[in-house]
Amino acid sequence: MCGIVAYIGKKQAYPIILKGLKRLEYRGYDSAGIALLHDNQINLYKRQGKVANLEEFAANKDLNGTSGIGHTRWATHGAPNDVNAHPHYSTDGNLALIHNGIIENYDTLRKELILHGYVFKSETDTEVLVHLIDDIQKNEHVSIAEAVRLALLNVVGAYAIVVISKENPNQLIAARKSSPLVVGIGGEGDFYLASDATPIVEYTKRVVYLEDEEIAIVDLNDGLKIFNINNQEKTPYIQQLELQLEALEKGGYEHFMLKEIHEQPRSIRDCFRGRMNADEGWVSLGGIKEYEQKMINAQRIVMVACGTSWHACLVGEYLFEDLARINVEVEYASEFRYRNPIINENDIVIAVSQSGETADTMAALELAKSKGATILGICNVVGSSISRITDAGSYTHAGPEIGVASTKAFTAQVTVLTLMAVSLAHKKGTISETKFHTMLAELEAIPEKVKMVLEKNDIIEKIALEYKDATNALYLGRGSSFPVALEGALKLKEISYIHAEGYPAAEMKHGPIALIDEEMPVFVIATKGTSYEKVVSNIQEVKARKGKIIAIVTEGDETVKEIADHVIEIPDTDEHLVPILATIPFQLLSYHIAVMRGCNVDQPRNLAKSVTVE
Ligand code: M6R
C-alpha cells in the first residue's frame, strides 16, 4: 500500500504531484505529504488524513519548485498522524525520502543509527532509510546514489523509494524491491515517478517499469540511468502505455464504485473480445495457449489469491472441475505461503489478482516458482509485478478499477476463468460440441444480460433502504453461487461496515441458523439449477424462524416469490454463468446501503486498494 509520486523537470512540481497523489489515494489515505526542492531548500508539507487535508494545509505556503516527491500513506508502523506521514527528512534537512513497503529489519537498523547519534522523530520503519543513507554518505564520502545503493544492501523487506537531495538538485533517485515503481519519460527532458501509471498517463505514454532491486537515477542532464543493486548498468526497457485518461475519471457518476458497477457490460465484453467467437465456434486465450496441454495433463491446478480475487478462484474451481474435469485447489495466498505446501514441477499455480501487486499473492507465486511449478497469472493491471513474474497469463482487460471495493474486476476474473475452463474442456473433450457452442453463445449474451440486471437498480435501492440499519446479514448460496454469497458479504462489510457472513446454504443448519430472528436479513441466490429445490427448502427454514429473505431468482420464478420478502430477478442463463449475473445485485445493494449510511464508498476506512504488505 501507500502511493508514491515524484517529478523533476521544468514545470512546477506541486500541481503534478498533488494530482498524482489524488490518483493514488486508493492505495492509502491515512496521511499525505509533499517535499519540494526550491532555492537550495527542501520544503516539506505533510498532514494526517486525505490529500485534500494536505492541499488545504499547503495552500498559503511556498509551493515553488520544479522537483519534488509526494506520498499518500496506509499506515503500517506508527499511527496515522502528521509526524509519521512521509516524506521523511534527514536530520540536516539535506535529504528527503518517500517509501512504499516495509523495512523488516528496521528495529536493528534503528538501534545502530541511534548509537551513531541519530534522533528519530517518527515511529515509522521508513525513517531508518533516510538516516541510513545520510549516515553512509557522510561516513563513506560517496554520492547520494551510491549511498542509496549501499543502504539498500542492508535492508530486508519491501520498498519503492524516491530520494530528493539538496546536493543533487538535478536528480531524483528511485529504487524498488517487491513494491511497484514506474518511471515516465516526459517529452521535455522531464521525468515522472509513481507507484503506478495513473499519475503519469496525462503527461507521457513512455514508461519504464522498474524490476526488483533496480535503482533508477533520473537526471536533468544525463537522462534516465538504471542500475541493479550490484551497480551494473541496465538498458531501460521503454514501454508504451495503453491506459486512457478518461478511464481514471468518474465520468458523471457520484462514485468510482458506481461507475465501475455500470461499466460491467463493457468490461466483460472487453474481456472476451478477440478471445472467442460464438458464431464461428472458437475460443482461444493467446496468453496461455502454449500451457493448455500442460493444464489438461496436470494432476491438479492450484489457484492462489486474496479477498475478492479468492472468491473468483472459488468460482473457477467449480468451472474447471465441472467442465474440464481438472482437479483444482483454491488457496488463500497468505496461508499457502506459510504452510510448507507440497508443490512440484508438475503443478500449475494460477494467481488471480486485480492489482497484480498483492504481496501475499506475490509471495505465494514466488514460493511455487522456487519449487519448480509453472506459474500463471490472471491480472487486471497491465505491467504489474504478478504479470511480470509469471510464465504466462491472461489480462482481464477490465480497465482501471479505482473504487477500493472490487466489482468489475471480479466479473472480469470470472469471465477469464470461464473462457479458460471452456477452452480446456473443449480440447480435452469433457464437454459435448453442443454444450461448447451453448456456452459460447451464452457468454456472448452475458453483457446484455448484465445490462438487464443493472436496470433493476431502483428495486435494489428500495431494498437497501429497508435494510440499511441492519447490524448483521447472512448471504447464502450453493455450488458456484456460494462464492457469490461470500463476495456479497464482503462487499457489504467493507463499504457499509455491517457485519455479514457468507455460507453455503446447506451449512446454515449447522450453526448460523441460531442467529436468525426477525431482525436478520438473509440474502439468498436461488436461481434455477441443480440445487434449486434444496435452496428453496433453506429459504423455508429461514422464514420459519422469521428471518427476512431477499432472494436473487431466475426471471419468471413464482415459487420463491411466494415465500421471500423480496426477490430480484436476473435473466436466465447457463448455470455456469450465474455467478456473473448474481453478483451484480449484491454490488448495487452494498453500494446503496453504504451511501445511505453516509460511508465513504470509494475509500472505506482502514482499507487500501492494493495490499502490498504481507
Ligand atoms: O488486487 P488483488 O485482486 O490481488 O486484491 C485482493 C484483495 O485485496 C481485494 O480483492 C480486496 O479484498 C478488495 N477490497 C475486495 O473488494
Side-chain angles (χ1 to χ4, degrees), residues 49-73:
K50 298 198 175 240
V51 178
N53 290 5
L54 169 71
E55 190 175 10
E56 202 184 308
F57 171 71
N60 303 317
K61 312 272 187 311
D62 176 5
L63 298 174
N64 284 305
T66 54
S67 166
I69 58 178
H71 187 273
T72 176
R73 177 170 186 243

Short mmCIF file of all heavy atoms in Angstrom, two decimals, residues 49-73:
data_model
loop_
_atom_site.label_atom_id
_atom_site.label_comp_id
_atom_site.label_asym_id
_atom_site.label_seq_id
_atom_site.Cartn_x
_atom_site.Cartn_y
_atom_site.Cartn_z
N GLY A 49 -4.52 12.28 7.27
CA GLY A 49 -5.78 12.24 6.52
C GLY A 49 -5.56 12.29 5.02
O GLY A 49 -4.47 11.99 4.52
N LYS A 50 -6.58 12.71 4.35
CA LYS A 50 -6.58 12.63 2.89
C LYS A 50 -5.74 13.72 2.23
O LYS A 50 -5.38 14.71 2.86
CB LYS A 50 -8.02 12.73 2.40
CG LYS A 50 -8.82 11.58 2.94
CD LYS A 50 -10.06 11.40 2.18
CE LYS A 50 -10.72 10.17 2.72
NZ LYS A 50 -10.95 9.14 1.83
N VAL A 51 -5.55 13.55 0.94
CA VAL A 51 -4.76 14.52 0.17
C VAL A 51 -5.41 15.91 0.26
O VAL A 51 -4.71 16.93 0.29
CB VAL A 51 -4.63 14.05 -1.30
CG1 VAL A 51 -3.86 15.05 -2.12
CG2 VAL A 51 -3.96 12.69 -1.36
N ALA A 52 -6.73 15.94 0.36
CA ALA A 52 -7.43 17.23 0.47
C ALA A 52 -6.97 18.01 1.70
O ALA A 52 -6.85 19.24 1.67
CB ALA A 52 -8.93 16.99 0.51
N ASN A 53 -6.68 17.30 2.79
CA ASN A 53 -6.18 17.97 4.02
C ASN A 53 -4.83 18.61 3.74
O ASN A 53 -4.55 19.73 4.18
CB ASN A 53 -5.98 16.97 5.15
CG ASN A 53 -7.27 16.44 5.68
OD1 ASN A 53 -8.33 16.74 5.13
ND2 ASN A 53 -7.22 15.65 6.72
N LEU A 54 -3.99 17.87 3.04
CA LEU A 54 -2.66 18.39 2.70
C LEU A 54 -2.81 19.63 1.81
O LEU A 54 -2.13 20.65 2.03
CB LEU A 54 -1.87 17.30 1.97
CG LEU A 54 -0.57 17.74 1.32
CD1 LEU A 54 0.48 18.06 2.37
CD2 LEU A 54 -0.03 16.67 0.37
N GLU A 55 -3.70 19.53 0.86
CA GLU A 55 -3.90 20.64 -0.09
C GLU A 55 -4.32 21.90 0.66
O GLU A 55 -3.80 23.00 0.42
CB GLU A 55 -4.99 20.23 -1.09
CG GLU A 55 -5.13 21.15 -2.27
CD GLU A 55 -6.14 20.62 -3.28
OE1 GLU A 55 -6.87 19.64 -2.99
OE2 GLU A 55 -6.21 21.21 -4.36
N GLU A 56 -5.22 21.73 1.61
CA GLU A 56 -5.70 22.87 2.39
C GLU A 56 -4.56 23.44 3.24
O GLU A 56 -4.36 24.66 3.29
CB GLU A 56 -6.82 22.35 3.30
CG GLU A 56 -7.76 23.42 3.79
CD GLU A 56 -8.77 22.79 4.75
OE1 GLU A 56 -9.40 21.79 4.39
OE2 GLU A 56 -8.87 23.32 5.87
N PHE A 57 -3.80 22.55 3.84
CA PHE A 57 -2.70 22.97 4.71
C PHE A 57 -1.61 23.70 3.92
O PHE A 57 -1.04 24.70 4.37
CB PHE A 57 -2.11 21.72 5.38
CG PHE A 57 -0.85 21.95 6.15
CD1 PHE A 57 -0.86 22.66 7.34
CD2 PHE A 57 0.36 21.45 5.68
CE1 PHE A 57 0.31 22.88 8.05
CE2 PHE A 57 1.54 21.66 6.38
CZ PHE A 57 1.52 22.39 7.57
N ALA A 58 -1.36 23.22 2.71
CA ALA A 58 -0.24 23.77 1.92
C ALA A 58 -0.64 25.06 1.19
O ALA A 58 0.24 25.78 0.69
CB ALA A 58 0.25 22.73 0.93
N ALA A 59 -1.94 25.35 1.17
CA ALA A 59 -2.45 26.40 0.29
C ALA A 59 -1.65 27.72 0.30
O ALA A 59 -1.37 28.28 -0.75
CB ALA A 59 -3.91 26.65 0.61
N ASN A 60 -1.28 28.19 1.48
CA ASN A 60 -0.61 29.50 1.51
C ASN A 60 0.91 29.40 1.67
O ASN A 60 1.57 30.37 1.99
CB ASN A 60 -1.17 30.34 2.67
CG ASN A 60 -2.65 30.48 2.51
OD1 ASN A 60 -3.13 30.73 1.41
ND2 ASN A 60 -3.38 30.28 3.60
N LYS A 61 1.43 28.22 1.46
CA LYS A 61 2.87 28.03 1.68
C LYS A 61 3.65 28.22 0.38
O LYS A 61 3.05 28.41 -0.68
CB LYS A 61 3.11 26.60 2.21
CG LYS A 61 2.21 26.18 3.34
CD LYS A 61 2.79 26.57 4.66
CE LYS A 61 2.06 26.05 5.88
NZ LYS A 61 0.64 26.19 6.00
N ASP A 62 4.97 28.16 0.51
CA ASP A 62 5.82 28.27 -0.68
C ASP A 62 5.75 26.93 -1.43
O ASP A 62 6.29 25.92 -0.98
CB ASP A 62 7.26 28.56 -0.25
CG ASP A 62 8.20 28.59 -1.45
OD1 ASP A 62 7.71 28.47 -2.60
OD2 ASP A 62 9.43 28.73 -1.23
N LEU A 63 5.08 26.94 -2.56
CA LEU A 63 4.89 25.69 -3.31
C LEU A 63 5.71 25.69 -4.59
O LEU A 63 5.42 24.94 -5.53
CB LEU A 63 3.40 25.47 -3.60
CG LEU A 63 2.52 25.34 -2.36
CD1 LEU A 63 1.05 25.26 -2.72
CD2 LEU A 63 2.92 24.11 -1.54
N ASN A 64 6.72 26.51 -4.62
CA ASN A 64 7.56 26.56 -5.82
C ASN A 64 8.51 25.38 -5.85
O ASN A 64 8.84 24.80 -4.82
CB ASN A 64 8.38 27.86 -5.82
CG ASN A 64 7.49 29.01 -6.20
OD1 ASN A 64 6.85 29.00 -7.25
ND2 ASN A 64 7.41 30.01 -5.31
N GLY A 65 8.97 25.09 -7.03
CA GLY A 65 9.94 24.01 -7.18
C GLY A 65 9.62 23.18 -8.40
O GLY A 65 8.45 22.87 -8.66
N THR A 66 10.66 22.85 -9.15
CA THR A 66 10.45 22.03 -10.35
C THR A 66 10.88 20.57 -10.10
O THR A 66 11.01 19.79 -11.03
CB THR A 66 11.22 22.62 -11.54
OG1 THR A 66 12.59 22.75 -11.14
CG2 THR A 66 10.66 23.96 -11.97
N SER A 67 11.10 20.29 -8.84
CA SER A 67 11.44 18.92 -8.47
C SER A 67 10.78 18.63 -7.12
O SER A 67 10.81 19.48 -6.22
CB SER A 67 12.96 18.82 -8.35
OG SER A 67 13.32 17.64 -7.70
N GLY A 68 10.17 17.47 -6.99
CA GLY A 68 9.51 17.16 -5.72
C GLY A 68 9.07 15.71 -5.64
O GLY A 68 9.07 14.98 -6.63
N ILE A 69 8.73 15.33 -4.40
CA ILE A 69 8.26 13.96 -4.15
C ILE A 69 6.99 14.02 -3.29
O ILE A 69 6.84 14.95 -2.49
CB ILE A 69 9.35 13.11 -3.44
CG1 ILE A 69 9.77 13.74 -2.10
CG2 ILE A 69 10.57 12.92 -4.32
CD1 ILE A 69 10.81 12.92 -1.31
N GLY A 70 6.10 13.05 -3.46
CA GLY A 70 4.86 13.05 -2.68
C GLY A 70 4.46 11.64 -2.29
O GLY A 70 4.84 10.66 -2.93
N HIS A 71 3.64 11.57 -1.24
CA HIS A 71 3.32 10.26 -0.67
C HIS A 71 1.91 10.26 -0.09
O HIS A 71 1.49 11.22 0.54
CB HIS A 71 4.32 9.97 0.46
CG HIS A 71 4.23 8.60 1.05
ND1 HIS A 71 3.37 8.27 2.08
CD2 HIS A 71 4.92 7.46 0.76
CE1 HIS A 71 3.54 6.99 2.39
NE2 HIS A 71 4.47 6.47 1.61
N THR A 72 1.17 9.19 -0.31
CA THR A 72 -0.09 9.01 0.38
C THR A 72 0.01 7.67 1.11
O THR A 72 0.43 6.67 0.55
CB THR A 72 -1.31 9.15 -0.56
OG1 THR A 72 -2.49 8.86 0.18
CG2 THR A 72 -1.26 8.26 -1.78
N ARG A 73 -0.32 7.69 2.42
CA ARG A 73 0.10 6.58 3.30
C ARG A 73 -1.04 5.67 3.73
O ARG A 73 -2.15 6.13 4.01
CB ARG A 73 0.75 7.20 4.54
CG ARG A 73 1.19 6.21 5.59
CD ARG A 73 2.05 6.88 6.67
NE ARG A 73 2.58 5.90 7.60
CZ ARG A 73 2.30 5.86 8.90
NH1 ARG A 73 1.51 6.77 9.43
NH2 ARG A 73 2.81 4.91 9.67
#
